[in-house]
Amino acid sequence: MAATSRMEHDLKQKAVKAVKTAKTSIERLRAQCLSRGASGIKGLGRTFKIMDDDGNRSIDYKEFSKGLRDFGVMMDKTEVQELFNDLDRDNSGSLDFDEFLIALRPPMRQCRKKFNQPSFPKVG
């Protein structure tokens, strides 16, 4: 198995385990995306545009719920509502693309923060 294939396989395995131990709905969604591989979050980002049924560059709860189901995310209605509320940081009742992807992006690891700190002091 090539190194990149092995890393991809390891990422998927870790993500499958993370789905079971996720403490928040955002962590669970992130883990479900990563269980599809390194491009799982990017794939959900692309799906965002498909979820946007009315083309206004934001999605409401109904579009969000349907899009997650279509993408194959396994969550009950209560968890989807909790997730939507967590992602809707400005309490507008809809999610815009940036709000969605920023929340879904995994937190930056400490070693990476140290590396970026001299160049980007506001990152940490």
Side-chain angles (χ1 to χ4, degrees):
M1 185 182 291
T4 54
S5 297
R6 188 173 322 127
M7 289 171 25
E8 180 83 3
H9 176 75
D10 291 348
L11 173 69
K12 289 179 181 181
Q13 293 303 314
K14 287 179 185 177
V16 168
K17 291 177 186 175
V19 169
K20 297 173 185 170
T21 61
K23 293 181 175 74
T24 67
S25 54
I26 294 173
E27 287 176 4
R28 185 157 182 234
L29 176 60
R30 185 182 302 131
Q32 286 193 44
C33 288
L34 291 174
S35 69
R36 296 173 180 229
S39 61
I41 291 175
K42 188 165 81 173
L44 186 56
R46 274 191 237 123
T47 302
F48 181 96
K49 292 179 181 179
I50 297 167
M51 289 181 199
D52 183 14
D53 291 335
D54 57 12
N56 66 352
R57 297 188 44 93
S58 65
I59 55 175
D60 61 20
Y61 174 76
K62 186 178 175 184
E63 292 169 322
F64 180 71
S65 179
K66 179 184 178 294
L68 289 181
R69 242 187 348 269
D70 292 349
F71 193 68
V73 172
M74 307 303 286
M75 291 183 166
D76 61 39
K77 282 185 176 187
T78 305
E79 198 169 19
V80 171
Q81 183 66 60
E82 177 188 327
L83 175 62
F84 184 83
N85 293 341
D86 289 346
L87 291 170
D88 183 17
R89 305 257 168 144
D90 62 0
N91 296 316
S92 65
S94 64
L95 303 175
D96 65 43
F97 187 69
D98 291 334
E99 192 174 39
F100 180 69
L101 285 184
I102 288 169
L104 200 53
R105 185 176 28 206
M108 193 179 295
R109 293 187 332 208
Q110 193 61 38
C111 62
R112 190 162 181 189
K113 282 183 183 180
K114 271 186 186 176
F115 179 77
N116 288 335
Q117 193 63 36
S119 301
F120 306 101
K122 291 189 179 191
V123 170

